[in-house]
Amino acid sequence: MPDLLSVKNLKIEATSYPPGEPPKVVTLVEGVSFDLEKGKVLGLIGESGAGKSTIGLSALAYGRGGVRITGGEVLLNGRDILNLDRAGINEVRGRHVCYVAQSAAAAFNPAHKLGDQVIEASLRHGLMSREEARKRALYLFRVLGLPNPESFGERYPHQVSGGQLQRAMTAMALCPNPELIVFDEPTTALDVTTQIDVLAAIKHAIEETHTAALYITHDLAVVAQISDNIMVLRHGKTVEYGTTKQVIEAPREDYTRALVNVRQAKREEAGDQSGALLKIEHVHAGYGNGFKVLHDVSMHLPQGQTLAIVGESGSGKSTLARVITGLLPPSEGRIMFDGKELPKALKGRAQEELRRIQMIYQMADTAMNPRQTVRDIIGRPLSFYFGMSGAKKTERVKELLDQIEMGSRFLDRYPAELSGGQKQRVAIARALAAKPELILCDEPTSALDPLVAEGILNLLMKLQEETAVSYVFITHDIAIVRAIADSVAVMHRGRLVRFGAKSKVLSPPFDDYTDLLLKSVPEMEIGWLERVLKTRRMESAGN
Amino acid sequence: MGSGPITGPVLTEGTARDLGAQSADLAGVPAKPHPTDSAEIGGTSWRRFVFRRPLAALILKRLGLSIGLLFAVSLMIFGGVEALPGDFATTYLGQSATPQAVENIRKDLGLDRPWSERYLSWLGGAVKGDFGTSWASKQSVSEQIAKRLGNSLFLAFFAALISVPLAVGLGMLAVQFRNRMPDKIINVISLAAISLPEFFIGYLLIMVFAVELGVATFPATVYDTMTLAERLSAIALPVATLVLVVLAHMMRMTRAAILNVMSSAYIETAELKGLGTFRIIARHAAPNAVAPVINVIALNLAYLVVGVVVVEVVFVYPGMGQYMVDAVTVRDMPVVQACGLIFAAFYIFLNMAADILAILANPRLRHPR
């Protein structure tokens, strides 16, 4: 009996059109082969550009944009789906193979009810009557733990939350009873506390329906919970292919080993946390329409240390950063810096006060002028704060480039000519150029691949040792908090839940929210998900 | 009046080129309006209304805006006519008239009163539907216009009846066959039609169909005694001209709006469900392209009513446009003002209708959280 899906020596190419140059054919995927049995899950893992989504979509004989499958075979139940005509391909899609996209918010049609979209493929392929399809959708909504399953299908996509949409997308894929589902980073856009629910729902649904799956993600800890086999990809080629146990517990390749060991680092926190370079006192803040975001937030940060502010989206952590910079004046409370109160609004602050606090953003891309070279970007604060120019300025820019481990050959590059990690390094150099005492880092690594992010974190720690700069580090990632923080503030819905030294905040007894947050972070350990769910069930049974 | 259809906002086709390209934005769907946007207007009862019935509040606001705009336009029309060089008295009496005779006529018509007084009395009448009497014919302007407006609307209605479904259908056809032969043919023909001024198309049609082939009637004058069939045959050429002029714009906007939507992630989802091309366009793309398409259609309908001036003159069709042009040549101000105000009212009303329909077409506004 043949395997359900058998991919042999796959080659995928795309044509790119660099401006001012002849079109170029780029190979995205080369020589990838794998087999998938009925009811099994294969995890495809790698960093961005590794070709994981491209491979996943080849199981539906689909290429995004100008992507073409130019070689190899994709056999579904022994039949090569790459040689099918349009009608044959439509027969495969939505009937035998279904797809779950990364952003369910964009993948659902805003004009139609969720229920209609979930059962559409089953109806169009003539698999069941409308009544049967409705029943199946209702069953799937229940299995996936959606609230009010009876009326859920009557809602429009904008009326439900991101986590619910992601589960509805899974229901949509499961509805026609396909033999294979391709999950393309289904939990990446979600908060950790939501991710664990969706992950559990997907796992439960796969087991319940005996569907096989390709599970694409960049997070090895996530894939360890759900897959039977793992394929590690890099630059469109296979690095390692084996059972989940073998890959996680005994990786053969260096690259896999690095992925497994990423962010194992833990920093000892500073012993003395009594001083306060920055002191936030009873801050309330909100936006113009009377919508209050921050409620009575107080915390402090000693000089030369790192304060991590952690919370999920909507917790108010970025708003707090805006209050500290003066972009959003607080309605009540004050910000003390080096013993003096900072003027509330940016306009009221002196240039010297501005210089001492700098910021690094999540998206280095959008925080830099694409038409300026690295020299101009880093040089701007030098001339603005210190009046430097000419050779002296260039000399200092070179020094800063050395500090961020990039070197002077990058002087005349434009942002578009830098990688994601390099852009973030330039942003760090720009902040450093002002010789600040405090740098606000707003999720500076969350858009980066794990290994690149680790490099950035190491650089930030090295710079702190060299220059004794203090960091306020905003993140949603507990692993980062463990790795770099001295003190931690946990925020939830605009309120401070917990604040103190890292060792105190991250050890029991916990409040409910911190407990949930900490238990939701996937660990690089097979069976972690079951263990967490089991304790949860026991707790709720005990209550 | 301009010499081509009024152009609305143009959708970029750039992003629509790659069918599969992922774009996370919900094309053309504006976000939920800010609750405070409307709360500034009034006291707490309005605030509560905005909170409870956001959709109705939004529509009411749009209605109020239109009425305010209409008043502003009436002021501009009056001011504009006031600022025109020359006046009725000199045109009527000729160059050799004595200053005394000119003065007498000005007094008869009330032109010696201050403009603010004349504006208010004119506006007071216009609100009640009385536009005064024509200076040239001494007849009631309202009565004259009623008949002519009916004729203009008759013409515009049939032009719209043919052009709107044709434009939307051709637009969808062009999307289905995009960048292939049918799409290219549709594009070239519609571009050619849009590039020619309507008087030129009008004369061209007259030459071919009325003069050379003799199958159509010219001039397109209609009388009260004509039957419907006779009227329809009379207006065939002017309707054809109007259709050719507005078709291209609507069709190209439909095509661009749908192609823009076709690059969204939910279209990829539909494709990966194995749906056919037509179902994807009709069920998944079209509802989201409705708002921009409605806007273009409304703009072009407004053009049909307002922009018939040239076409009516070319075809000697007794509609509002011809009436207005005649009045301008003799400086018959009450008629010019009345026509201007009615055209403006149509324009404002159609745009308002388009906005309200676009609001209703938005599921986020129709079904609030």
Side-chain angles (χ1 to χ4, degrees):
Chain A
M1 189 178 140
D3 286 321
L4 171 66
L5 180 73
S6 177
V7 171
K8 286 182 184 148
N9 209 9
L10 193 65
K11 182 170 185 177
I12 302 178
E13 291 178 319
T15 313
S16 77
Y17 301 88
E21 284 170 56
K24 221 169 34 184
V25 175
V26 190
T27 306
L28 299 178
V29 173
E30 201 171 9
V32 169
S33 307
F34 58 84
D35 300 304
L36 184 62
E37 288 171 44
K38 271 193 166 64
K40 295 279 184 190
V41 180
L42 169 66
L44 297 179
I45 182 154
E47 52 197 45
S48 47
K52 2 182 243 304
S53 292
T54 314
I55 295 171
L57 285 169
S58 72
L60 293 119
Y62 185 81
R64 256 182 207 146
V67 170
R68 298 177 308 276
I69 302 170
T70 49
E73 291 176 327
V74 177
L75 304 175
L76 187 72
N77 287 321
R79 191 171 58 141
D80 191 352
I81 59 169
L82 298 182
N83 295 329
L84 294 175
D85 60 358
R86 178 81 200 180
I89 285 173
N90 279 350
E91 192 60 27
V92 169
R93 293 177 186 166
R95 178 178 193 151
H96 299 287
V97 189
C98 290
Y99 180 72
V100 176
Q102 171 170 4
S103 170
F108 271 109
N109 192 327
H112 298 298
K113 288 176 185 169
L114 287 169
D116 292 340
Q117 300 192 53
V118 166
I119 62 174
E120 186 179 20
S122 314
L123 296 187
R124 299 313 294 180
H125 290 291
L127 300 173
M128 43 189 102
S129 72
R130 181 169 285 271
E131 210 32 59
E132 287 165 345
R134 282 242 174 86
K135 265 190 202 146
R136 174 145 177 91
L138 180 61
Y139 161 75
L140 290 169
F141 290 158
R142 284 218 176 91
V143 170
L144 289 158
L146 283 163
N148 305 320
E150 290 80 13
S151 61
F152 186 81
E154 291 300 304
R155 308 245 213 134
Y156 282 84
H158 69 273
Q159 293 174 315
V160 306
S161 72
Q164 289 168 7
L165 270 184
Q166 208 66 54
R167 277 179 272 177
M169 183 110 203
T170 307
M172 184 155 85
L174 284 164
C175 190
N177 252 324
E179 292 155 275
L180 172 67
I181 298 182
V182 178
F183 290 95
D184 194 352
E185 306 242 15
T187 63
T188 304
L190 304 174
D191 281 316
V192 273
T193 50
T194 319
Q195 164 172 290
I196 183 171
D197 291 334
V198 174
L199 211 54
I202 289 176
K203 188 174 169 116
H204 179 54
I206 290 175
E207 281 165 1
E208 195 82 347
T209 54
H210 309 292
T211 309
L214 279 179
Y215 197 98
I216 296 162
T217 177
H218 67 273
D219 192 337
L220 200 50
V222 164
V223 89
Q225 311 310 320
I226 217 157
S227 58
D228 301 295
N229 295 308
I230 290 180
M231 172 175 271
V232 182
L233 294 155
R234 195 181 195 193
H235 307 315
K237 297 200 175 89
T238 311
V239 175
E240 186 160 355
Y241 178 34
T243 63
T244 301
K245 195 173 164 61
Q246 177 258 308
V247 172
I248 300 286
E249 288 170 7
R252 281 190 293 259
E253 300 293 322
D254 287 346
Y255 180 68
T256 317
R257 220 164 287 140
L259 281 180
V260 171
N261 293 326
V262 77
R263 279 192 225 140
Q264 296 282 325
K266 275 182 195 159
R267 187 169 101 147
E268 287 298 308
E269 65 189 50
D272 179 21
Q273 300 195 2
S274 54
L277 174 72
L278 176 78
K279 208 166 176 186
I280 299 166
E281 295 181 347
H282 304 288
V283 160
H284 294 250
Y287 292 99
N289 49 14
F291 182 66
K292 234 174 136 186
V293 183
L294 294 178
H295 306 265
D296 193 18
V297 174
S298 302
M299 55 186 81
H300 68 270
L301 166 65
Q303 201 257 326
Q305 299 187 12
T306 301
L307 163 65
I309 303 179
V310 60
E312 47 197 59
S313 49
S315 64
K317 48 193 199 304
S318 290
T319 305
L320 186 59
R322 286 172 61 88
V323 170
I324 298 171
T325 54
L327 286 169
L328 178 72
S331 54
E332 278 174 63
R334 54 182 193 165
I335 310 286
M336 304 290 289
F337 187 73
D338 203 9
K340 277 194 299 233
E341 185 181 351
L342 280 177
K344 285 189 168 57
L346 191 65
K347 266 191 282 178
R349 295 191 184 176
Q351 183 168 330
E352 184 60 13
E353 285 169 323
L354 296 178
R355 180 190 67 76
R356 294 169 76 182
I357 304 179
Q358 295 293 316
M359 186 139 183
I360 304 171
Y361 300 89
Q362 178 175 3
M363 295 290 170
D365 269 345
T366 51
M368 276 188 246
N369 187 335
R371 301 205 167 245
Q372 285 184 348
T373 58
V374 168
R375 182 203 298 266
D376 296 330
I377 292 169
I378 302 178
R380 169 75 187 143
L382 293 175
S383 40
F384 181 72
Y385 291 117
F386 306 112
M388 283 188 192
S389 61
K392 210 172 148 203
K393 185 160 116 180
T394 308
E395 210 36 56
R396 178 78 182 119
V397 173
K398 278 186 189 162
E399 259 177 60
L400 286 161
L401 278 174
D402 285 339
Q403 255 186 317
I404 57 166
E405 297 157 4
M406 277 172 71
S408 51
R409 69 202 161 92
F410 287 94
L411 265 181
D412 293 308
R413 297 261 193 109
Y414 286 93
E417 296 167 312
L418 303 175
S419 72
Q422 287 167 343
K423 276 182 222 168
Q424 201 54 279
R425 280 168 192 263
V426 170
I428 292 171
R430 177 173 63 179
L432 276 183
K435 294 200 174 162
E437 282 147 70
L438 173 66
I439 298 181
L440 301 176
C441 312
D442 190 356
E443 305 245 17
T445 57
S446 62
L448 301 174
D449 288 313
L451 292 178
V452 181
E454 199 174 30
I456 295 285
L457 292 178
N458 289 339
L459 173 68
L460 285 172
M461 291 304 101
K462 188 195 89 176
L463 292 172
Q464 190 168 48
E465 271 163 36
E466 286 171 10
T467 62
V469 65
S470 312
Y471 296 125
V472 168
F473 199 100
I474 293 166
T475 180
H476 64 272
D477 190 336
I478 297 284
I480 292 181
V481 176
R482 288 214 173 90
I484 65 165
D486 294 298
S487 52
V488 181
V490 181
M491 295 198 55
H492 183 48
R493 294 190 185 160
R495 288 173 205 279
L496 186 67
V497 178
R498 208 173 161 87
F499 171 69
K502 174 168 69 178
S503 55
K504 260 199 183 136
V505 170
L506 299 187
S507 41
F510 293 120
D511 56 282
D512 290 350
Y513 180 70
T514 310
D515 190 40
L516 175 69
L517 196 63
L518 289 177
K519 281 194 184 151
S520 302
V521 182
E523 278 169 36
M524 200 79 72
E525 176 194 324
I526 299 164
W528 164 83
L529 185 65
E530 281 83 0
R531 190 159 51 79
V532 173
L533 294 175
K534 208 170 156 190
T535 49
R536 263 199 201 178
R537 271 196 296 275
M538 275 159 60
E539 274 166 22
S540 60
N543 284 340
Chain B
M1 292 295 131
S3 61
I6 298 97
T7 42
V10 177
L11 279 184
T12 47
E13 283 189 56
T15 50
R17 213 174 299 130
D18 302 321
L19 185 63
Q22 248 198 340
S23 101
D25 67 328
L26 306 158
V29 182
K32 205 179 164 184
H34 230 257
T36 43
D37 279 1
S38 29
E40 291 160 14
I41 289 176
T44 47
S45 61
W46 170 253
R47 246 173 226 249
R48 218 175 306 133
F49 181 66
V50 168
F51 187 74
R52 283 210 193 124
R53 315 284 306 273
L55 194 61
L58 210 63
I59 291 173
L60 270 181
K61 239 178 73 181
R62 189 65 190 79
L63 266 168
L65 202 67
S66 301
I67 293 169
L69 197 60
L70 197 56
F71 275 104
V73 166
S74 77
L75 199 63
M76 282 166 71
I77 290 173
F78 194 86
V81 167
E82 205 60 16
L84 281 180
D87 73 353
F88 176 73
T90 44
T91 320
Y92 186 65
L93 295 173
Q95 298 265 316
S96 54
T98 61
Q100 185 57 42
V102 171
E103 202 50 41
N104 284 344
I105 286 200
R106 288 180 60 90
K107 209 165 201 166
D108 277 356
L109 299 172
L111 288 175
D112 51 343
R113 291 187 292 157
W115 74 268
S116 55
E117 201 182 314
R118 280 181 288 129
Y119 170 69
L120 286 177
S121 74
W122 170 68
L123 191 66
V127 169
K128 282 179 274 176
D130 174 18
F131 291 101
T133 44
S134 158
W135 294 348
S137 68
K138 307 291 179 205
Q139 281 175 315
S140 160
V141 175
S142 308
E143 270 173 37
Q144 294 259 315
I145 282 183
K147 219 189 308 165
R148 301 249 176 176
L149 184 61
N151 283 342
S152 279
L153 288 181
F154 184 71
L155 187 62
F157 173 76
F158 280 99
L161 199 67
I162 295 171
S163 62
V164 173
L166 197 62
V168 173
L170 283 177
M172 286 168 89
L173 205 68
V175 171
Q176 188 160 8
F177 295 98
R178 71 188 160 286
N179 300 334
R180 282 188 282 166
M181 216 19 116
D183 181 28
K184 284 177 184 161
I185 292 171
I186 292 172
N187 256 322
V188 167
I189 292 178
S190 61
L191 256 184
I194 208 173
S195 311
L196 297 172
E198 60 261 61
F199 65 84
F200 185 77
I201 296 181
Y203 285 130
L204 208 64
L205 289 179
I206 292 170
M207 196 184 84
V208 175
F209 291 99
V211 179
E212 299 280 329
L213 301 175
V215 290
T217 343
F218 177 82
T221 318
V222 290
Y223 312 100
D224 292 344
T225 51
M226 284 171 118
T227 63
L228 183 67
E230 282 172 326
R231 276 171 188 260
L232 287 182
S233 118
I235 63 165
L237 284 188
V239 163
T241 310
L242 285 171
V243 166
L244 280 176
V245 171
V246 296
L247 184 70
H249 187 219
M250 285 194 282
M251 178 245 126
R252 290 177 70 83
M253 283 298 289
T254 307
R255 177 181 183 273
I258 294 181
L259 277 184
N260 192 33
V261 170
M262 291 296 275
S263 64
S264 19
Y266 52 82
I267 298 298
E268 185 183 278
T269 306
E271 269 193 88
L272 293 178
K273 278 179 181 176
L275 305 180
T277 316
F278 185 75
R279 188 174 167 85
I280 291 176
I281 294 174
R283 175 147 173 96
H284 287 277
N288 294 292
V290 156
V293 172
I294 285 179
N295 257 313
V296 190
I297 289 177
L299 274 168
N300 282 282
L301 288 185
Y303 174 76
L304 279 180
V305 177
V306 176
V308 289
V309 175
V310 176
V311 174
E312 285 181 3
V313 173
V314 166
F315 286 95
V316 204
Y317 183 81
M320 285 271 286
Q322 205 195 31
Y323 188 46
M324 186 172 172
V325 170
D326 288 349
V328 169
T329 43
V330 296
R331 302 283 190 275
D332 193 348
M333 295 318 169
V335 177
V336 177
Q337 284 168 0
C339 290
L341 194 63
I342 288 170
F343 282 145
F346 264 103
Y347 205 84
I348 290 172
F349 171 78
L350 281 167
N351 275 294
M352 179 190 76
D355 278 4
I356 291 178
L357 282 175
I359 289 171
L360 290 176
N362 184 343
R364 281 156 193 270
L365 295 173
R366 214 169 52 232
H367 310 278
R369 272 168 181 277

